[in-house]
């Protein structure tokens, strides 16, 4: 039997347009398989992953309906690779394959990475985990910092926060537990594209591993050109410095010295004026509002109005909430409470003077 097939003429010539995407995907896979550059005809894990990537993405996403994380994709592809090669697809090799693929073709639609690391905003006391979703939704707090420090050692970030160092230098802290994650680099790019200026610093061990962390911030990607960096290759031939060799007081003093040439944040004059005017207006408005409420004896009026309202008991509310859930499965119990409260608190229409 053949599934429904639209035709283009009385001769029943098939109209393949609805199937073009599937045909194109199958053709690309077939061509890729035919031109695999492998030694002795062996199939590589990379070839198998790429050959099955589109179908696996469709599987974990419900044909594109839902987002998915990179590890879900690994668990779909791992048994496929095992069946064809007899070898286990390691997480490290899989991550390398996906990273190289995205560097060449762009990010895989719908895929996100689990949070790894964090960013701390000075003067706000807030820490945000670093992941694909949090970076996508990130909103830079206005005129709060003009520097960002990436710290390889997450423990030092906590010491800096405890000492008030970010506030003294108007500097945001970032850490991702070693090598910079894609989310960390994407956030740096997002900050660099913002209207407010920011200077990026990277603190790492002065060894091969540490400089690779720094280098990941510098290298070009499909989304941006390479950043400017210093010449450290020759210096590393005769020097090595481990951050953990410093005590916390030494580390903070060293960082203070590095920041000596960089000023704290002072916004442009028009921003200062707008901020002052907004705060003066709010304080005056709050003072006048408080005085009016006090003179009108609002508390007594509120108490009298509440006493005149007959509210349903918990049993009635529970039954009504169940009806809401049956009609709207994604609702919350507070939605019904809000609706009832709005109805009970609504003032009766003014009918004075009506005919």
């Amino acid at each position: 039997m053949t599934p429904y097939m639209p035709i283009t003429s009385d001769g029943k010539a098939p109209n393949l347009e609805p199937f073009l995407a599937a045909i194109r995907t199958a053709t690309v896979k077939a061509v890729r398989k035919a031109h695999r550059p492998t030694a002795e005809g062996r199939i590589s894990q990379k070839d198998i992953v790429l050959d099955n990537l589109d179908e696996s993405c469709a599987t974990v996403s419900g044909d594109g309906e839902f987002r998915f994380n990179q590890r879900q994709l690994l668990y779909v592809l791992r048994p496929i690779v095992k069946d064809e090669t007899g070898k286990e697809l390691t997480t490290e090799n899989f991550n390398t394959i996906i990273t190289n693929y995205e560097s060449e073709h762009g990010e895989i639609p719908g895929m996100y990475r689990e949070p790894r690391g964090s960013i701390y905003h000075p003067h706000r006391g807030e820490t945000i985990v670093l992941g694909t979703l949090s970076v996508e939704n990130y909103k830079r707090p206005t005129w709060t910092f003009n520097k960002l420090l990436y710290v390889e050692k997450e423990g030092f970030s906590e010491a800096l926060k405890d000492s008030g160092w970010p506030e003294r230098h108007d500097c945001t802290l970032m850490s991702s537990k070693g090598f910079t994650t894609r989310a960390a680099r994407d956030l740096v790019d997002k900050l660099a594209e913002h209207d407010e200026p920011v200077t990026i610093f990277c603190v790492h061990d002065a060894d091969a591993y540490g400089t690779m962390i720094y280098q990941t911030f510098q290298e070009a990607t499909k989304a941006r050109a390479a950043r400017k960096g210093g010449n450290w290759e020759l210096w590393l031939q005769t020097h090595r410095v481990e951050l953990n060799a410093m005590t916390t007081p030494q580390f903070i003093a060293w960082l203070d010295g590095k920041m000596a040439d960089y000023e704290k944040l002072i916004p442009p004059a028009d921003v200062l004026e707008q901020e002052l005017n907004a705060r003066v207006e709010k304080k005056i408005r709050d003072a006048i509002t408080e005085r009016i409420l006090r003179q009108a004896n609002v508390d007594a009026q509120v108490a009298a109005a509440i006493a005149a309202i007959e509210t349903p008991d918990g049993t009635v509310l529970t039954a009504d909430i169940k009806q809401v859930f049956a009609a709207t499965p994604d609702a919350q119990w507070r939605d019904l409470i809000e609706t009832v409260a709005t109805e009970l608190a609504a003032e009766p229409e003014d009918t004075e003077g009506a005919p």
Side-chain angles (χ1 to χ4, degrees):
M1 297 181 64
T2 302
Y4 170 72
M5 174 73 71
I7 59 177
T8 60
S9 68
D10 293 339
K12 297 185 179 180
N15 177 15
L16 299 177
E17 185 173 354
F19 309 99
L20 284 180
I23 293 172
R24 185 180 298 111
T25 299
T27 303
V28 169
K29 288 178 62 176
V31 171
R32 189 158 54 216
K33 286 182 178 180
H35 293 83
R36 283 173 173 161
T38 55
E40 302 176 358
R42 290 179 299 176
I43 303 174
S44 71
Q45 292 189 344
K46 175 182 176 181
D47 289 327
I48 298 171
V49 168
L50 297 183
D51 286 344
N52 294 276
L53 185 59
D54 292 336
E55 292 180 8
S56 298
C57 288
T59 298
V60 296
S61 67
D63 288 327
E65 183 177 356
F66 303 100
R67 300 197 69 168
F68 58 96
N69 64 53
Q70 185 169 321
R71 195 157 185 82
Q72 288 176 288
L73 192 58
L74 168 63
Y75 276 88
V76 171
L77 286 163
R78 181 173 276 167
I80 298 175
V81 172
K82 180 77 170 180
D83 288 343
E84 295 201 31
T85 67
K87 296 182 179 180
E88 190 81 9
L89 175 62
T90 65
T91 301
E92 182 180 4
N93 188 31
F94 172 74
N95 290 343
T96 299
I97 294 171
I98 294 301
T99 297
N100 292 339
Y101 174 85
E102 290 190 317
S103 295
E104 182 178 353
H105 300 283
E107 295 188 357
I108 296 174
M111 187 177 77
Y112 64 89
R113 289 163 177 78
E114 299 293 346
R116 185 167 177 258
S118 62
I119 181 171
Y120 171 81
H121 291 142
H123 308 294
R124 298 168 66 94
E126 62 182 7
T127 299
I128 302 172
V129 295
L130 279 179
T132 304
L133 300 181
S134 59
V135 171
E136 286 179 2
N137 298 320
Y138 178 80
K139 301 295 183 184
R140 177 176 177 171
T142 57
W143 299 109
T144 303
F145 60 88
N146 60 354
K147 310 171 196 70
L148 181 144
L149 176 69
Y150 176 85
V151 186
E152 174 191 348
K153 311 290 186 182
E154 193 168 38
F156 279 123
S157 292
E158 296 304 316
L160 291 173
K161 285 191 285 187
D162 289 344
S163 70
W165 189 91
E167 286 71 25
R168 290 202 304 275
H169 296 281
D170 292 336
C171 183
T172 280
L173 298 179
M174 180 190 292
S175 173
S176 60
K177 301 179 182 178
F179 272 106
T180 56
T181 62
R182 182 187 296 264
R185 298 192 298 273
D186 287 347
L187 182 55
V188 168
D189 288 336
K190 199 168 188 177
L191 291 172
E193 294 168 358
H194 198 276
D195 293 338
E196 297 180 26
V198 63
T199 303
I200 311 295
F201 301 88
C202 180
V203 176
H204 57 85
D205 290 335
D207 57 13
Y209 182 86
T211 51
M212 284 297 295
I213 295 174
Y214 171 76
Q215 187 173 328
T216 58
F217 269 130
Q218 304 298 112
E219 292 176 339
T221 67
K222 190 176 181 69
R224 56 162 170 78
R227 303 183 181 91
K228 296 180 180 180
N231 297 318
W232 38 261
E233 293 91 340
L234 293 178
W235 187 88
L236 281 175
Q237 303 307 311
T238 56
H239 297 76
R240 187 181 187 280
V241 178
E242 178 78 25
L243 292 178
N244 284 325
M246 288 189 278
T247 65
T248 299
Q250 288 174 330
F251 179 73
I252 292 176
W254 173 72
L255 271 184
D256 283 337
K258 292 293 183 180
M259 293 292 171
D261 294 333
Y262 297 89
E263 297 180 350
K264 281 178 66 71
L265 172 65
I266 300 179
D270 61 325
V271 174
L272 298 176
E273 294 169 1
Q274 292 171 11
E275 180 83 8
L276 177 60
N277 292 338
R279 294 202 177 206
V280 169
E281 179 181 344
K282 183 179 185 305
K283 290 183 181 299
I284 291 177
R285 183 180 300 277
D286 290 345
I288 293 176
T289 300
E290 193 276 333
R291 187 182 73 238
I292 292 174
L293 293 177
R294 185 174 62 252
Q295 292 173 347
N297 198 12
V298 170
D299 290 341
Q301 293 189 49
V302 170
I306 292 176
I309 295 176
E310 184 177 348
T311 59
D313 62 24
T315 302
V316 173
L317 292 173
T318 298
D320 291 343
I321 289 171
K322 290 180 179 180
Q323 292 182 4
V324 170
F325 287 169
T328 313
D330 60 346
Q332 187 196 27
W333 63 268
R334 287 189 175 90
D335 297 335
L336 183 279
I337 299 298
E338 175 65 21
T339 299
V340 174
T342 300
E343 293 173 353
L344 293 176
E347 293 185 7
E349 295 184 5
D350 185 4
T351 58
E352 184 178 347

